[in-house]
């Protein structure tokens, strides 16, 4: 599998903040779609009457669709207020939007907005490379497939923090400090990262929260002209979708939240739970690896095989192996990132076996390629802004997990209990928001979306990034939550090979009939 696409097919990989953490034509009409809504009513012709006067111009704007270089897709730019608390200031952010119109035949059901997760994942990239061409054909036939880059992401007033060489250095910093000097180096790296964001993105940095992105999505809903918002969000996209539903329950149509995040958990618990999720995924990988003739971790059972991986990490921590790039030998940090990247999708397990075998024999290039796919590093050394936006959103959404290194010391044993292999590194990675230059504007809280129609929450039993219990929790919190379970591996479930999951979600999107609450698929 091409590692550059590995982490884009089912949702951008990153759910919690950390050093680790995941031809067009001009014929399209400008302004609201004329398609009938999937709620059964005609498309709206004006902004909703409940919109405050200061926001009305945003809600009444027309989208001017244009060619954008990818055959079959159209793009537009939407305006949103930089600060929803002070829209009268006249300061805006540009929100990049893209669509692929319904292919037909059959009744058109309006727009289906999709989000790949992150935070920091490009919705437009996801739409053009996967959702707009890879979603089930009946869904694409009846919906205009739509996405946007949330504020701070890629084409939408992107957050910038470090240069390519600076980011190369940052990704190599030891995440499991062994002494005072390494601790100081890690803290300095987090401070440098935060300072770079403040220097390069001071204007937008205080205004990239999930709540603000959800409000942008409401402006987008108005601009599209649909009666209700239809939405599929993966990973962090579930938090965005649930936040929208909680803010605007009366505007919710059909929402699918796949690979759910529990919004009631504070940052420390989110990061620790996710650490346990990666341990679960590692156990699944080792179980499968033991059956393969090319397994580099031996055949001694899950604990022994995990021990072999830990020993490999210790060796490359002491002596990095060549990777083909003399400035970036494969040390512990990049090796760990490469392993975690492959654990998101079980189809990458053969590639992980090959990469580990090569690295254990002195060639770290394949494992480095996996780490680069995680960080969205291009061959020319440039990075997408995924990791910058990821930190900016997460650090604004919640207070930091830790007050300082001493608090990490206290928490490391509980992280190591969650994952003996990844625990210490992911505990230290959770220190990044401690030094953030902008105070958090949000906090952990349950979301109920009272009054919304049925919302389908999808959980995968052995999901590495969004543990299954998070889906159970979100489905319970939402007044109209319906839990759909996939008893399988990998991150998210829709479009990953389960006909049971796909049929249930397709039926809901096309007819409005949700699966039975508690339905399980294998």
């Amino acid at each position: 599998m091409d590692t550059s696409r590995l982490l884009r097919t089912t949702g951008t990989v990153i759910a919690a903040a950390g050093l680790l953490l995941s031809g067009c034509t001009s014929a399209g009409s400008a302004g609201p779609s004329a398609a009938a809504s999937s709620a059964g009513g005609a498309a709206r012709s004006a902004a909703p009457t409940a919109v405050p006067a200061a926001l009305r111009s945003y809600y009444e704007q027309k989208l001017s669709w244009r060619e954008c270089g990818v055959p079959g897709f159209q793009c537009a730019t939407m305006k949103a207020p930089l600060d929803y608390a002070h829209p009268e200031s006249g300061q805006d952010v540009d929100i990049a939007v893209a669509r692929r119109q319904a292919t037909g035949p059959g009744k058109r059901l309006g727009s289906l907005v999709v989000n790949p997760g992150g935070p920091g994942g490009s919705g437009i990239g996801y739409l053009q490379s996967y959702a707009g061409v890879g979603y089930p054909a009946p869904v694409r036939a009846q919906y205009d497939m739509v996405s946007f880059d949330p504020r701070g992401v890629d084409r939408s007033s992107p957050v910038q923090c470090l240069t390519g060489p600076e980011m190369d250095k940052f990704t190599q910093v030891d995440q499991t400090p062994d002494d005072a000097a390494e601790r100081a180096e890690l803290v300095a790296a987090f401070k440098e990262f935060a300072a770079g964001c403040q220097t390069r993105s001071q204007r937008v940095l205080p205004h990239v929260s999930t709540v603000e992105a959800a409000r942008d999505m409401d402006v987008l809903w108005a601009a599209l002209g649909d009666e209700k918002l239809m939405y599929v969000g993966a990973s962090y996209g579930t938090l965005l979708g649930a936040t929208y539903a909680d803010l605007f329950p009366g505007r919710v149509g059909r929402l699918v939240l796949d690979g759910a995040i529990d919004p009631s958990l504070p940052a420390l618990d989110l990061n620790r739970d996710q650490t346990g999720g990666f341990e679960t995924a590692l156990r699944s990988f080792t179980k499968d690896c033991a059956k393969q003739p090319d397994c580099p971790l031996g055949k001694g059972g899950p604990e022994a095989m995990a021990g072999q991986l830990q020993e490999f990490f210790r060796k490359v921590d002491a002596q990095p192996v060549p990777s083909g790039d003399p400035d970036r030998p494969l040390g512990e940090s990049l090796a760990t990132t490469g392993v975690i990247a492959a654990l998101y999708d079980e189809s990458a397990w053969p590639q992980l076996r090959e990469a580990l075998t090569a690295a254990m024999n002195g060639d770290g290039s394949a494992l480095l390629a996996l780490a680069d796919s995680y960080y969205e590093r291009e061959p020319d050394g440039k990075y997408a802004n995924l990791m910058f936006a990821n930190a900016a959103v997460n650090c604004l959404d919640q207070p930091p997990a830790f007050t300082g290194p001493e608090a990490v010391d206290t928490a490391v044993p509980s992280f190591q209990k969650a994952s003996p292999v990844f625990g210490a590194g992911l505990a230290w990675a959770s220190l990044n928001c401690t030094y953030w230059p902008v105070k958090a504007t949000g906090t952990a809280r349950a979301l109920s979306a009272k009054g919304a129609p049925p919302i389908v929450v999808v959980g995968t039993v052995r999901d590495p990034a969004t543990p299954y219990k998070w889906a159970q929790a979100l489905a319970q919190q939402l007044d109209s939550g319906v839990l759909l379970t996939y008893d399988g591996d990998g991150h998210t479930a829709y479009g990953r090979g389960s006909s049971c999951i796909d049929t249930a979600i397709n039926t809901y999107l096309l007819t409005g009939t949700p699966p039975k609450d508690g339905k399980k698929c294998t």
Side-chain angles (χ1 to χ4, degrees):
M1 175 179 272
D2 178 2
T3 58
S4 68
R5 299 179 65 87
L6 169 65
L7 305 178
R8 294 178 171 88
T9 57
T10 57
T12 297
V13 299
I14 305 164
L19 182 60
L20 275 174
L21 219 243
S22 75
C24 300
T25 71
S26 57
S29 62
S33 166
S37 80
S38 56
R44 290 179 299 100
S45 60
T49 56
V51 173
L55 295 175
R56 201 154 190 83
S57 64
Y58 296 102
Y59 276 81
E60 291 178 343
Q61 67 186 296
K62 309 298 182 184
L63 295 180
S64 181
W65 297 103
R66 63 186 183 275
E67 295 182 359
C68 52
V70 180
F73 292 86
Q74 299 168 320
C75 296
T77 300
M78 185 184 83
K79 296 289 185 182
L82 175 67
D83 184 354
Y84 276 96
H86 300 285
E88 72 284 350
S89 70
Q91 295 191 65
D92 295 337
V93 289
D94 290 336
I95 306 297
V97 184
R99 74 174 179 184
R100 183 169 190 173
Q101 291 181 293
T103 59
K107 178 184 177 182
R108 296 181 67 193
L109 300 178
S111 305
L112 181 64
V113 179
V114 297
N115 179 275
S122 169
I124 292 178
Y126 176 70
L127 181 74
Q128 293 176 341
S129 67
Y130 173 66
V133 293
Y135 260 42
V139 174
R140 291 184 286 111
Q142 294 186 253
Y143 281 104
D144 289 347
M145 299 295 295
V146 176
S147 194
F148 67 107
D149 286 351
R151 55 173 61 209
V153 174
D154 203 357
R155 302 164 181 84
S156 297
S157 305
V159 172
Q160 297 294 339
C161 299
L162 301 179
T163 66
E166 289 171 341
M167 191 65 180
D168 281 347
K169 179 182 176 183
F170 179 76
T171 60
Q172 295 181 68
V173 174
D174 193 341
Q175 302 172 55
T176 56
D178 300 313
D179 54 39
E182 290 185 349
R183 286 164 63 101
E185 183 183 9
L186 181 58
V187 169
F190 284 134
K191 289 181 177 179
E192 180 181 351
F193 187 100
C197 298
Q198 176 71 356
T199 298
R200 295 180 173 94
S201 308
Q202 186 172 9
R203 175 178 178 267
V204 71
L205 208 59
H207 301 291
V208 293
S209 69
T210 298
V211 167
E212 288 162 308
R215 297 193 68 172
D216 292 343
M217 196 154 65
D218 197 51
V219 175
L220 175 60
W221 160 76
L224 293 170
D226 297 307
E227 188 68 22
K228 300 287 185 179
L229 178 79
M230 312 296 166
Y231 175 85
V232 178
S235 193
Y236 162 79
T238 66
L239 179 62
L240 178 59
T243 300
Y244 179 89
D246 197 59
L247 288 170
F248 307 105
R251 297 174 191 172
V252 170
R254 299 165 191 172
L255 261 63
V256 177
L257 308 180
D258 183 14
I261 291 175
D262 181 354
S264 71
L265 292 179
L268 175 59
D269 291 333
L270 284 171
N271 290 349
R272 187 162 43 206
D273 281 357
Q274 191 179 66
T275 300
F278 284 115
E279 181 69 20
T280 298
L282 177 62
R283 293 300 181 103
S284 292
F285 168 71
T286 57
K287 182 179 179 181
D288 177 78
C289 189
K291 302 174 184 177
Q292 310 300 329
D294 63 342
C295 181
L297 300 177
K299 311 288 183 180
E303 286 77 12
M305 295 171 78
Q308 289 293 319
L309 184 59
Q310 283 181 289
E311 181 59 26
F312 165 68
F313 287 153
R314 281 192 288 268
K315 286 181 178 179
V316 294
D317 184 29
Q319 183 61 54
V321 298
S323 69
D325 184 340
D327 295 324
R328 297 191 307 140
L330 186 79
E332 182 185 13
S333 293
L334 288 171
T336 302
T337 304
V339 171
I340 282 179
L343 291 179
Y344 275 88
D345 189 336
E346 68 271 26
S347 68
W349 290 353
Q351 185 179 353
L352 178 57
R353 294 196 304 272
E354 293 175 5
L356 281 171
T357 299
M360 290 175 176
N361 287 290
D363 178 5
S365 59
L367 207 50
L368 178 65
L370 282 167
D372 285 350
S373 73
Y374 184 97
Y375 287 124
E376 294 196 352
R377 184 188 190 273
E378 300 299 333
D380 63 2
K382 295 180 181 178
Y383 287 77
N385 92 311
L386 169 65
M387 300 306 297
F388 309 144
N390 178 261
V393 175
N394 280 323
C395 295
L396 203 57
D397 275 358
Q398 286 206 25
F402 297 120
T403 57
E406 295 76 16
V408 180
D409 286 331
T410 300
V412 161
S414 66
F415 275 73
Q416 289 179 317
K417 182 178 180 180
S419 174
V421 176
F422 303 119
L426 292 179
W428 282 101
S430 305
L431 187 63
N432 69 329
C433 288
T434 303
Y435 308 104
W436 204 244
V438 180
K439 186 178 179 180
T441 56
T443 188
R445 66 183 185 89
L447 301 175
S448 64
K450 186 176 182 180
I455 297 173
V456 176
V457 179
V458 189
T460 298
V461 171
R462 292 177 295 281
D463 191 312
T466 51
Y468 176 61
K469 67 179 182 179
W470 289 359
Q472 293 175 301
L474 180 59
Q476 286 188 329
Q477 291 168 33
L478 294 169
D479 275 14
S480 58
V482 175
L483 180 63
L484 175 62
T485 298
Y486 174 50
D487 186 0
D489 296 289
H491 185 36
T492 73
Y494 186 42
R496 289 175 45 82
S498 169
S499 60
C500 174
I501 290 289
D502 290 356
T503 298
I505 293 176
N506 293 346
T507 299
Y508 171 64
L509 291 175
L510 295 173
T511 71
T513 302
K516 182 180 179 181
D517 186 25
K519 179 179 176 64
K520 294 184 179 180
C521 295
T522 58

